[in-house]
Amino acid sequence: MLELTEGGNESPYRNNWMRSQIQRRPFGGVAPVLLLIGVAIGQTPVVPSAPTLVTEFPVLRPVVSRGKIGFIDSSANLVIPYRFDYVAKFSEGLAYFLEEGRSGYVDTTGKVVFDEARFSSGVRFDFSEGLAGFEFATRRKGNNYLRHRLRGYRDRTGKIVIPPRFFNASDFHEGLAAVNEKLNAKWGYIDKIGNYVIPPTFDYASDFSEGMAAVAVDQRCGYIDHAGKVVIRPFINYEYGCGRFREGVALVGRNDFGLIDTSGHYVIPPQHATAWPTMREGLIWSPWTSPQGFYDKYGKLVIDTSCYSDARAFSEGLAAVKKGKYGYINKKGELVIPLQFDAALDFVDGLAMVGTHEGWVYIDKSSKVVWKGASF
């Protein structure tokens, strides 16, 4: 399915981040294979547990020194020392790590929560709503790998709560996860104990967001609600042509893209798109409209960015823009951080990663460098 992805610079960080966010879907067609990192196998299924979910976790940022990765907090304090050979992004307070041959998941204090018994495949899943997928592969040679692997779910302690029986298993969103059980089988939705809530009747199924999920039937996509009822009939003649809803709009199309609202009506008509936009903080940057700029969800121009060659979505009231170099504008369109960076990413909890002649660094909203040696 289409995603409302980030407009803006093609940095290595953005590409890696994008791959880590893409849905865990079939290995063919347009659905990409996600980051290649091992997951555990060989664990004994247990009775589903009910771990206590923490809804807020500290924001940690990777930093690197002498080839080892550590983490700083939003006050630029080193809270996890440089020790990891690799660490994935944190999801719900846990991150996959590699450390001198050891692998598993670590929490935001640096404590190892659980180890991986051994590698099973090249697929890693993030935690979402307290659960993360895992993959058990019995054979890994040639095409047999696709036919001899199963996916299930485990909790934040590493215990299996849904035994591996699915060919594909997405993250949980709004209490449901899209799954299918065999190669080219129909898709449906399960709950957190593995029971089908919406039967497997779809050719393809996407994650729920804002109460709806994009699904495909007969190579056409539309949207359903949590009960499986069709709320926007399949109207795009392309099974992967419907994106997830964000802030009341979704990107749809194949060659010509537009934005629809929750009733299925276009708020920005289909037209040739040179980049896929994202709605965030009430604004969407559209490089393929005239004039180019930030629009609201009704298609009204709010900020004209015709003088810039590139822009990113707003984050914490600021948006990166480019004219030779990158800087940041506010929601009045004023340039508040001068054009001075080779690349510029989103602000998260007051800090943003930017590219400079010294490499990747973290800056605050005054453009002050607070940490050198930022890591992806």
Side-chain angles (χ1 to χ4, degrees), residues 207-295:
D207 296 332
F208 272 91
S209 63
E210 301 185 7
M212 292 188 285
V215 295
V217 178
D218 296 330
Q219 297 185 332
R220 298 172 68 89
C221 67
Y223 294 85
I224 61 171
D225 63 17
H226 287 173
K229 178 183 177 182
V230 174
V231 289
I232 299 177
R233 63 176 179 79
F235 70 111
I236 299 294
N237 192 28
Y238 179 50
E239 61 183 329
Y240 304 110
C242 296
R244 286 188 291 173
F245 274 92
R246 295 185 180 177
E247 299 192 26
V249 295
L251 181 73
V252 298
R254 183 172 188 175
N255 298 317
D256 296 327
F257 300 97
L259 286 177
I260 62 169
D261 60 21
T262 55
S263 66
H265 298 128
Y266 282 101
V267 294
I268 297 181
Q271 51 197 293
H272 177 67
T274 57
W276 293 355
T278 183
M279 174 69 70
R280 195 190 297 163
E281 298 186 8
L283 295 174
I284 181 172
W285 183 66
S286 174
W288 34 267
T289 51
S290 181
Q292 169 187 288
F294 286 94
Y295 288 76

Coordinates of all heavy atoms in Angstrom, one line a residue, residues 207-295:
D207 N -2.2 -1.8 7.4 CA -2.4 -1.5 8.8 C -3.6 -0.6 9.0 O -3.9 0.3 8.2 CB -1.2 -0.9 9.4 CG 0.0 -1.8 9.4 OD1 -0.2 -3.0 9.5 OD2 1.2 -1.3 9.4
F208 N -4.3 -0.7 10.2 CA -5.3 0.3 10.6 C -4.7 1.6 11.0 O -3.6 1.6 11.7 CB -6.2 -0.3 11.7 CG -7.3 -1.1 11.2 CD1 -7.2 -2.5 11.0 CD2 -8.5 -0.5 10.9 CE1 -8.3 -3.2 10.5 CE2 -9.6 -1.2 10.4 CZ -9.5 -2.6 10.2
S209 N -5.3 2.6 10.7 CA -5.0 4.0 11.1 C -6.2 4.8 11.1 O -7.0 4.8 10.1 CB -3.8 4.6 10.3 OG -4.2 4.8 9.0
E210 N -6.5 5.6 12.1 CA -7.6 6.4 12.2 C -8.9 5.7 11.9 O -9.8 6.2 11.3 CB -7.4 7.7 11.3 CG -6.2 8.5 11.7 CD -6.0 9.8 10.9 OE1 -6.9 10.1 10.1 OE2 -5.0 10.4 11.1
G211 N -9.0 4.4 12.4 CA -10.2 3.7 12.3 C -10.4 3.0 11.0 O -11.5 2.3 10.8
M212 N -9.5 3.1 10.0 CA -9.7 2.4 8.7 C -8.4 1.7 8.3 O -7.3 2.1 8.7 CB -10.2 3.4 7.7 CG -11.6 4.0 7.9 SD -12.2 5.0 6.5 CE -11.2 6.5 6.8
A213 N -8.6 0.7 7.4 CA -7.4 0.1 6.8 C -7.7 -0.1 5.3 O -8.8 -0.4 4.9 CB -7.2 -1.3 7.5
A214 N -6.6 0.1 4.6 CA -6.7 -0.2 3.1 C -6.6 -1.6 2.8 O -5.8 -2.3 3.3 CB -5.6 0.6 2.4
V215 N -7.5 -2.1 2.0 CA -7.6 -3.5 1.6 C -7.8 -3.6 0.1 O -8.2 -2.6 -0.6 CB -8.7 -4.3 2.3 CG1 -8.4 -4.4 3.8 CG2 -10.1 -3.7 2.0
A216 N -7.4 -4.7 -0.5 CA -7.6 -4.9 -2.0 C -8.4 -6.1 -2.3 O -8.2 -7.2 -1.6 CB -6.2 -5.0 -2.6
V217 N -9.3 -6.0 -3.3 CA -10.0 -7.1 -3.8 C -10.1 -7.0 -5.3 O -10.3 -5.9 -5.8 CB -11.5 -7.1 -3.3 CG1 -12.3 -8.2 -3.9 CG2 -11.5 -7.2 -1.7
D218 N -9.7 -8.1 -6.0 CA -9.7 -8.0 -7.5 C -8.8 -6.9 -8.0 O -9.2 -6.2 -9.0 CB -11.1 -8.0 -8.0 CG -11.9 -9.2 -7.7 OD1 -11.4 -10.3 -7.5 OD2 -13.2 -9.0 -7.5
Q219 N -7.7 -6.7 -7.4 CA -6.7 -5.7 -7.9 C -7.2 -4.3 -7.7 O -6.6 -3.4 -8.4 CB -6.2 -6.0 -9.3 CG -5.5 -7.3 -9.4 CD -5.0 -7.6 -10.8 OE1 -5.5 -7.0 -11.8 NE2 -3.9 -8.4 -10.9
R220 N -8.2 -4.1 -6.9 CA -8.7 -2.7 -6.6 C -8.6 -2.5 -5.1 O -8.9 -3.4 -4.4 CB -10.1 -2.5 -7.2 CG -10.2 -2.6 -8.7 CD -11.6 -2.6 -9.1 NE -12.2 -1.2 -8.9 CZ -12.2 -0.3 -9.8 NH1 -11.6 -0.4 -11.0 NH2 -12.8 0.9 -9.5
C221 N -8.3 -1.3 -4.7 CA -8.2 -1.0 -3.3 C -9.2 0.0 -2.8 O -9.6 0.9 -3.5 CB -6.8 -0.6 -2.9 SG -6.3 1.0 -3.5
G222 N -9.6 -0.2 -1.5 CA -10.5 0.6 -0.8 C -10.3 0.5 0.7 O -9.2 0.2 1.1
Y223 N -11.3 0.8 1.5 CA -11.0 0.9 2.9 C -12.2 0.2 3.7 O -13.3 0.2 3.3 CB -10.9 2.3 3.4 CG -9.7 3.0 2.9 CD1 -9.7 3.6 1.6 CD2 -8.5 3.1 3.6 CE1 -8.6 4.3 1.1 CE2 -7.4 3.7 3.1 CZ -7.4 4.3 1.8 OH -6.3 4.9 1.3
I224 N -11.8 -0.4 4.8 CA -12.7 -1.1 5.7 C -12.6 -0.5 7.1 O -11.6 0.1 7.5 CB -12.5 -2.6 5.8 CG1 -11.1 -2.9 6.3 CG2 -12.8 -3.2 4.4 CD1 -10.9 -4.4 6.6
D225 N -13.6 -0.8 8.0 CA -13.5 -0.4 9.4 C -13.1 -1.6 10.3 O -12.8 -2.7 9.7 CB -14.8 0.3 9.9 CG -16.0 -0.7 9.8 OD1 -15.8 -1.9 9.7 OD2 -17.1 -0.2 9.9
H226 N -13.1 -1.4 11.6 CA -12.7 -2.5 12.5 C -13.6 -3.7 12.4 O -13.1 -4.8 12.8 CB -12.6 -2.0 13.9 CG -11.5 -1.0 14.2 ND1 -11.3 -0.3 15.3 CD2 -10.4 -0.7 13.4 CE1 -10.2 0.4 15.3 NE2 -9.7 0.2 14.1
A227 N -14.8 -3.6 12.0 CA -15.7 -4.7 11.8 C -15.6 -5.4 10.5 O -16.2 -6.4 10.2 CB -17.1 -4.3 12.1
G228 N -14.7 -4.9 9.6 CA -14.6 -5.5 8.3 C -15.5 -4.9 7.3 O -15.6 -5.4 6.1
K229 N -16.3 -3.9 7.7 CA -17.3 -3.3 6.8 C -16.6 -2.3 5.8 O -15.8 -1.6 6.3 CB -18.4 -2.6 7.6 CG -19.4 -1.8 6.8 CD -20.4 -1.1 7.6 CE -21.4 -0.3 6.8 NZ -22.3 0.5 7.7
V230 N -17.0 -2.4 4.6 CA -16.4 -1.5 3.6 C -17.0 -0.1 3.8 O -18.2 0.1 3.9 CB -16.8 -1.9 2.2 CG1 -16.3 -0.9 1.2 CG2 -16.1 -3.3 1.9
V231 N -16.1 0.9 4.1 CA -16.5 2.2 4.3 C -16.1 3.2 3.1 O -16.7 4.2 2.9 CB -15.8 2.8 5.6 CG1 -16.5 2.1 6.8 CG2 -14.3 2.6 5.7
I232 N -15.1 2.8 2.4 CA -14.8 3.4 1.1 C -14.6 2.3 0.1 O -13.6 1.5 0.2 CB -13.5 4.3 1.2 CG1 -13.7 5.4 2.2 CG2 -13.2 4.9 -0.2 CD1 -12.5 6.3 2.4
R233 N -15.5 2.2 -0.8 CA -15.5 1.1 -1.8 C -14.2 1.1 -2.6 O -13.6 2.1 -2.8 CB -16.7 1.2 -2.8 CG -16.6 2.5 -3.6 CD -17.7 2.5 -4.6 NE -17.6 3.7 -5.5 CZ -16.8 3.9 -6.5 NH1 -16.0 2.9 -6.8 NH2 -16.8 5.0 -7.2
P234 N -13.7 -0.1 -3.0 CA -12.6 -0.2 -3.8 C -12.7 0.6 -5.1 O -13.6 0.4 -5.9 CB -12.5 -1.7 -4.1 CG -13.1 -2.4 -3.0 CD -14.3 -1.5 -2.6
F235 N -11.9 1.6 -5.3 CA -12.1 2.5 -6.4 C -10.8 2.9 -7.1 O -10.8 3.5 -8.2 CB -12.7 3.9 -5.9 CG -11.8 4.7 -5.1 CD1 -11.3 5.9 -5.6 CD2 -11.5 4.3 -3.8 CE1 -10.5 6.7 -4.8 CE2 -10.7 5.1 -3.0 CZ -10.2 6.3 -3.5
I236 N -9.6 2.4 -6.6 CA -8.4 2.6 -7.2 C -8.0 1.3 -7.9 O -7.9 0.3 -7.3 CB -7.2 3.0 -6.2 CG1 -7.6 4.3 -5.5 CG2 -5.9 3.1 -6.9 CD1 -7.6 5.5 -6.4
N237 N -7.8 1.4 -9.2 CA -7.5 0.2 -10.0 C -6.1 -0.3 -9.9 O -5.3 -0.4 -10.8 CB -7.9 0.5 -11.5 CG -7.9 -0.8 -12.3 OD1 -8.2 -1.9 -11.7 ND2 -7.6 -0.7 -13.6
Y238 N -5.7 -0.5 -8.6 CA -4.3 -0.9 -8.3 C -4.3 -1.4 -6.8 O -4.7 -0.6 -6.0 CB -3.3 0.2 -8.5 CG -1.9 -0.1 -8.2 CD1 -1.3 -1.2 -8.7 CD2 -1.2 0.8 -7.4 CE1 0.1 -1.5 -8.5 CE2 0.2 0.5 -7.1 CZ 0.8 -0.6 -7.7 OH 2.1 -0.9 -7.4
E239 N -4.0 -2.6 -6.6 CA -4.2 -3.1 -5.2 C -3.3 -2.5 -4.2 O -3.6 -2.5 -3.0 CB -3.9 -4.7 -5.2 CG -2.6 -5.1 -5.6 CD -2.5 -6.6 -5.6 OE1 -3.2 -7.3 -4.8 OE2 -1.7 -7.2 -6.4
Y240 N -2.1 -1.9 -4.6 CA -1.3 -1.2 -3.6 C -1.4 0.3 -3.6 O -0.6 1.0 -3.2 CB 0.2 -1.6 -3.8 CG 0.5 -3.1 -3.8 CD1 0.8 -3.8 -5.0 CD2 0.4 -3.8 -2.6 CE1 1.0 -5.1 -5.0 CE2 0.6 -5.2 -2.6 CZ 0.9 -5.8 -3.8 OH 1.2 -7.2 -3.8
G241 N -2.5 0.8 -4.2 CA -2.7 2.2 -4.5 C -3.4 3.0 -3.4 O -3.7 4.2 -3.7
C242 N -3.6 2.5 -2.2 CA -4.3 3.2 -1.2 C -3.4 3.3 0.1 O -3.0 2.3 0.6 CB -5.6 2.5 -0.8 SG -6.8 2.5 -2.1
G243 N -3.1 4.5 0.5 CA -2.2 4.8 1.6 C -3.0 4.8 2.9 O -4.2 4.8 2.9
R244 N -2.3 4.8 4.0 CA -2.9 4.9 5.3 C -3.4 6.4 5.6 O -2.8 7.3 5.2 CB -2.0 4.5 6.4 CG -1.7 3.0 6.5 CD -0.9 2.6 7.7 NE 0.5 3.0 7.6 CZ 1.3 2.9 8.6 NH1 1.0 2.4 9.7 NH2 2.6 3.3 8.5
F245 N -4.5 6.5 6.4 CA -4.9 7.8 6.8 C -4.1 8.4 7.8 O -3.7 7.7 8.8 CB -6.4 7.7 7.2 CG -7.4 7.8 6.1 CD1 -7.9 6.6 5.5 CD2 -7.8 9.0 5.7 CE1 -8.8 6.7 4.5 CE2 -8.7 9.1 4.6 CZ -9.2 7.9 4.0
R246 N -3.7 9.7 7.7 CA -3.0 10.5 8.7 C -3.6 11.9 8.7 O -3.7 12.5 7.6 CB -1.5 10.5 8.3 CG -0.8 9.2 8.4 CD 0.6 9.2 8.2 NE 1.3 7.9 8.2 CZ 2.5 7.7 8.0 NH1 3.4 8.7 7.7 NH2 3.0 6.5 8.1
E247 N -4.1 12.2 9.9 CA -4.7 13.5 10.0 C -5.8 13.8 9.1 O -6.0 14.8 8.5 CB -3.7 14.7 9.9 CG -2.6 14.6 11.0 CD -1.7 15.8 11.1 OE1 -2.2 16.9 10.8 OE2 -0.6 15.7 11.5
G248 N -6.6 12.7 8.8 CA -7.8 12.8 8.1 C -7.7 12.7 6.6 O -8.7 12.8 5.9
V249 N -6.5 12.4 6.0 CA -6.3 12.3 4.6 C -5.5 11.1 4.3 O -4.7 10.7 5.1 CB -5.7 13.6 4.0 CG1 -6.7 14.8 4.1 CG2 -4.4 13.9 4.6
A250 N -5.6 10.6 3.1 CA -4.8 9.5 2.6 C -4.3 9.7 1.2 O -5.1 10.3 0.4 CB -5.5 8.2 2.7
L251 N -3.1 9.3 0.9 CA -2.6 9.4 -0.5 C -3.1 8.2 -1.3 O -3.0 7.0 -0.8 CB -1.1 9.4 -0.4 CG -0.4 9.5 -1.8 CD1 -0.5 10.9 -2.4 CD2 1.1 9.2 -1.6
V252 N -3.7 8.4 -2.5 CA -4.1 7.3 -3.3 C -3.7 7.6 -4.7 O -3.5 8.7 -5.2 CB -5.7 7.2 -3.2 CG1 -6.1 6.8 -1.8 CG2 -6.4 8.4 -3.7
G253 N -3.6 6.5 -5.5 CA -3.3 6.6 -6.9 C -2.3 5.6 -7.3 O -1.8 4.7 -6.5
R254 N -1.9 5.7 -8.6 CA -0.8 4.8 -9.1 C 0.2 5.6 -9.8 O 1.3 5.7 -9.4 CB -1.4 3.8 -10.1 CG -0.4 2.8 -10.6 CD -1.0 1.6 -11.4 NE 0.0 0.6 -11.7 CZ -0.3 -0.5 -12.3 NH1 -1.5 -0.8 -12.6 NH2 0.7 -1.4 -12.5
N255 N -0.2 6.2 -10.9 CA 0.8 7.1 -11.6 C 0.4 8.6 -11.3 O 1.3 9.4 -11.2 CB 0.7 6.9 -13.1 CG 1.1 5.5 -13.5 OD1 2.1 5.0 -13.0 ND2 0.4 4.9 -14.4
D256 N -0.9 8.9 -11.2 CA -1.3 10.2 -10.8 C -1.9 10.1 -9.3 O -2.8 9.3 -9.1 CB -2.4 10.7 -11.7 CG -1.9 10.9 -13.1 OD1 -0.7 11.3 -13.2 OD2 -2.7 10.7 -14.1
F257 N -1.3 10.9 -8.4 CA -1.7 10.7 -7.0 C -2.5 11.9 -6.6 O -2.4 13.0 -7.0 CB -0.4 10.7 -6.2 CG 0.5 9.5 -6.5 CD1 1.6 9.7 -7.3 CD2 0.2 8.3 -6.0 CE1 2.4 8.6 -7.7 CE2 1.0 7.2 -6.3 CZ 2.1 7.4 -7.1
G258 N -3.4 11.6 -5.6 CA -4.2 12.6 -5.0 C -4.4 12.3 -3.6 O -4.0 11.3 -3.1
L259 N -5.1 13.2 -2.8 CA -5.4 13.0 -1.4 C -6.9 13.0 -1.3 O -7.7 13.8 -1.8 CB -4.9 14.2 -0.6 CG -3.4 14.3 -0.4 CD1 -3.1 15.5 0.4 CD2 -2.9 13.1 0.4
I260 N -7.4 11.9 -0.5 CA -8.8 11.8 -0.2 C -9.0 12.0 1.3 O -8.1 11.9 2.1 CB -9.3 10.4 -0.6 CG1 -8.6 9.3 0.2 CG2 -9.2 10.2 -2.1 CD1 -9.3 7.9 0.0
D261 N -10.3 12.4 1.6 CA -10.7 12.5 3.0 C -11.3 11.2 3.4 O -11.4 10.2 2.7 CB -11.6 13.7 3.2 CG -12.9 13.7 2.4 OD1 -13.3 12.5 2.0 OD2 -13.5 14.7 2.2
T262 N -11.8 11.2 4.7 CA -12.4 9.9 5.2 C -13.7 9.5 4.6 O -14.1 8.4 4.8 CB -12.5 10.1 6.7 OG1 -13.4 11.2 7.0 CG2 -11.2 10.2 7.4
S263 N -14.3 10.4 3.8 CA -15.5 10.0 3.0 C -15.1 9.4 1.7 O -16.0 9.0 0.9 CB -16.4 11.2 2.9 OG -15.9 12.2 2.1
G264 N -13.9 9.5 1.3 CA -13.4 9.0 0.0 C -13.4 10.1 -1.1 O -13.2 9.8 -2.3
H265 N -13.7 11.3 -0.7 CA -13.7 12.4 -1.7 C -12.3 13.0 -1.8 O -11.6 13.2 -0.8 CB -14.7 13.5 -1.3 CG -16.1 13.0 -1.3 ND1 -17.0 13.2 -0.2 CD2 -16.8 12.3 -2.2 CE1 -18.1 12.7 -0.5 NE2 -18.1 12.1 -1.7
Y266 N -12.0 13.4 -3.0 CA -10.6 14.1 -3.2 C -10.6 15.5 -2.6 O -11.5 16.3 -2.9 CB -10.3 14.1 -4.7 CG -9.8 12.8 -5.3 CD1 -10.7 12.0 -6.0 CD2 -8.5 12.4 -5.1 CE1 -10.2 10.8 -6.5 CE2 -8.1 11.2 -5.6 CZ -8.9 10.4 -6.3 OH -8.5 9.2 -6.8
V267 N -9.6 15.8 -1.8 CA -9.4 17.1 -1.4 C -8.3 17.8 -2.2 O -8.2 19.0 -2.4 CB -9.0 17.2 0.1 CG1 -10.2 16.8 1.0 CG2 -7.8 16.3 0.4
I268 N -7.4 17.0 -2.8 CA -6.4 17.4 -3.8 C -6.5 16.4 -4.9 O -6.3 15.2 -4.8 CB -5.0 17.5 -3.3 CG1 -4.8 18.5 -2.1 CG2 -4.0 17.8 -4.4 CD1 -3.4 18.6 -1.6
P269 N -7.0 16.9 -6.1 CA -7.3 15.9 -7.2 C -6.0 15.2 -7.7 O -4.9 15.6 -7.5 CB -7.8 16.9 -8.3 CG -8.2 18.1 -7.6 CD -7.3 18.2 -6.4
P270 N -6.2 14.0 -8.3 CA -5.1 13.2 -8.8 C -4.3 14.1 -9.8 O -4.9 14.7 -10.7 CB -5.8 12.0 -9.4 CG -7.1 11.9 -8.8 CD -7.5 13.3 -8.5
Q271 N -3.0 14.0 -9.7 CA -2.2 14.7 -10.7 C -0.8 14.0 -10.6 O -0.5 13.3 -9.7 CB -2.1 16.2 -10.4 CG -1.8 16.5 -9.0 CD -2.1 18.0 -8.7 OE1 -1.5 18.9 -9.3 NE2 -3.1 18.2 -7.8
H272 N 0.0 14.3 -11.6 CA 1.4 13.7 -11.6 C 2.1 14.1 -10.4 O 2.2 15.3 -10.0 CB 2.1 14.2 -12.8 CG 3.5 13.6 -12.9 ND1 3.8 12.3 -13.0 CD2 4.7 14.3 -12.8 CE1 5.1 12.1 -13.0 NE2 5.7 13.3 -12.9
A273 N 2.7 13.1 -9.7 CA 3.4 13.4 -8.4 C 4.9 13.1 -8.6 O 5.3 12.0 -9.0 CB 2.9 12.6 -7.3
T274 N 5.8 14.0 -8.3 CA 7.2 13.8 -8.4 C 7.7 13.3 -7.0 O 8.8 12.9 -6.9 CB 7.9 15.1 -8.8 OG1 7.6 16.1 -7.8 CG2 7.5 15.5 -10.2
A275 N 6.9 13.4 -6.0 CA 7.3 13.0 -4.6 C 6.0 12.7 -3.9 O 5.0 13.2 -4.2 CB 8.1 14.0 -3.9
W276 N 6.1 11.8 -2.9 CA 4.9 11.5 -2.1 C 4.9 12.3 -0.8 O 5.9 12.3 -0.1 CB 4.9 10.0 -1.7 CG 4.7 9.1 -2.9 CD1 4.5 9.4 -4.2 CD2 4.8 7.7 -2.9 NE1 4.3 8.3 -4.9 CE2 4.6 7.2 -4.2 CE3 5.1 6.7 -1.9 CZ2 4.5 5.9 -4.5 CZ3 5.0 5.4 -2.2 CH2 4.8 4.9 -3.5
P277 N 3.9 13.0 -0.6 CA 3.9 14.0 0.5 C 3.4 13.3 1.8 O 2.9 12.2 1.8 CB 2.9 15.0 0.1 CG 1.9 14.2 -0.7 CD 2.7 13.1 -1.4
T278 N 3.4 14.0 2.9 CA 2.9 13.6 4.2 C 2.2 14.7 4.8 O 2.6 15.9 4.8 CB 4.0 13.0 5.1 OG1 3.3 12.5 6.3 CG2 5.0 14.0 5.5
M279 N 1.0 14.4 5.4 CA 0.3 15.4 6.2 C 0.8 15.3 7.7 O 0.8 14.2 8.3 CB -1.2 15.1 6.2 CG -2.1 15.9 7.1 SD -2.1 17.7 6.6 CE -3.1 17.6 5.1
R280 N 1.3 16.4 8.2 CA 1.7 16.4 9.6 C 1.5 17.8 10.1 O 1.8 18.8 9.5 CB 3.2 16.0 9.7 CG 3.6 15.7 11.1 CD 5.1 15.5 11.2 NE 5.6 14.4 10.4 CZ 6.9 14.3 10.1 NH1 7.8 15.2 10.5 NH2 7.3 13.3 9.4
E281 N 1.0 17.8 11.4 CA 0.7 19.1 12.1 C -0.2 20.0 11.2 O 0.0 21.2 11.2 CB 2.1 19.8 12.4 CG 2.9 19.0 13.3 CD 4.2 19.8 13.8 OE1 4.3 21.0 13.6 OE2 5.0 19.2 14.5
G282 N -1.1 19.3 10.5 CA -2.1 20.0 9.8 C -1.7 20.5 8.4 O -2.6 21.2 7.7
L283 N -0.5 20.3 8.0 CA 0.0 20.8 6.7 C 0.7 19.7 5.9 O 1.3 18.8 6.5 CB 0.9 22.0 6.9 CG 0.4 23.2 7.5 CD1 1.5 24.2 7.8 CD2 -0.7 23.8 6.7
I284 N 0.5 19.8 4.6 CA 1.2 18.9 3.7 C 2.0 19.6 2.7 O 1.5 20.6 2.1 CB 0.2 17.9 3.0 CG1 0.9 16.9 2.1 CG2 -0.9 18.7 2.3 CD1 -0.1 15.9 1.6
W285 N 3.2 19.2 2.5 CA 4.0 19.9 1.5 C 3.8 19.2 0.1 O 4.0 18.0 0.0 CB 5.5 19.9 1.8 CG 6.3 20.6 0.8 CD1 6.3 21.9 0.5 CD2 7.3 20.1 -0.1 NE1 7.2 22.3 -0.5 CE2 7.8 21.1 -0.9 CE3 7.8 18.8 -0.4 CZ2 8.8 20.9 -1.9 CZ3 8.7 18.6 -1.4 CH2 9.2 19.7 -2.1
S286 N 3.4 20.0 -0.9 CA 3.1 19.4 -2.2 C 4.0 20.0 -3.2 O 3.9 21.2 -3.6 CB 1.7 19.7 -2.6 OG 1.4 19.3 -3.9
P287 N 5.0 19.3 -3.8 CA 5.9 19.8 -4.8 C 5.2 19.7 -6.2 O 5.8 20.2 -7.1 CB 7.1 18.8 -4.7 CG 6.5 17.5 -4.3 CD 5.3 17.9 -3.4
W288 N 4.1 19.0 -6.3 CA 3.5 18.8 -7.6 C 2.2 19.6 -7.9 O 1.5 19.4 -8.8 CB 3.2 17.3 -7.8 CG 2.8 16.5 -6.6 CD1 3.6 15.8 -5.8 CD2 1.4 16.4 -6.2 NE1 2.8 15.2 -4.8 CE2 1.5 15.5 -5.0 CE3 0.2 16.8 -6.6 CZ2 0.4 15.1 -4.3 CZ3 -0.9 16.4 -5.9 CH2 -0.8 15.6 -4.7
T289 N 2.0 20.6 -7.0 CA 0.9 21.5 -7.3 C 1.5 22.9 -7.7 O 2.7 23.1 -7.6 CB 0.0 21.7 -6.0 OG1 0.8 22.1 -4.9 CG2 -0.8 20.5 -5.7
S290 N 0.6 23.7 -8.2 CA 1.1 25.1 -8.5 C 0.2 26.1 -7.9 O -1.0 26.1 -8.1 CB 1.0 25.3 -10.1 OG 1.5 26.6 -10.4
P291 N 0.7 26.9 -6.9 CA 2.2 27.0 -6.6 C 2.6 25.8 -5.7 O 1.7 25.3 -4.9 CB 2.3 28.3 -5.9 CG 1.0 28.6 -5.3 CD 0.0 28.0 -6.2
Q292 N 3.9 25.5 -5.7 CA 4.4 24.6 -4.7 C 4.4 25.1 -3.3 O 4.6 26.3 -3.1 CB 5.9 24.3 -5.1 CG 6.7 23.5 -4.1 CD 8.1 23.5 -4.5 OE1 8.5 22.8 -5.4 NE2 9.0 24.2 -3.8
G293 N 4.0 24.3 -2.4 CA 4.0 24.8 -1.0 C 3.3 23.9 0.0 O 3.0 22.7 -0.3
F294 N 3.0 24.4 1.2 CA 2.3 23.7 2.2 C 0.8 24.0 2.1 O 0.4 25.2 2.1 CB 2.8 24.1 3.6 CG 4.2 23.5 3.9 CD1 5.3 24.2 3.6 CD2 4.3 22.2 4.4 CE1 6.6 23.6 3.9 CE2 5.5 21.6 4.7 CZ 6.7 22.3 4.5
Y295 N 0.0 22.9 2.1 CA -1.4 23.0 1.9 C -2.1 22.4 3.2 O -1.5 21.5 3.8 CB -1.9 22.3 0.7 CG -1.6 23.0 -0.6 CD1 -0.3 23.0 -1.1 CD2 -2.5 23.7 -1.3 CE1 0.1 23.6 -2.3 CE2 -2.2 24.4 -2.5 CZ -0.9 24.3 -3.0 OH -0.6 24.9 -4.2

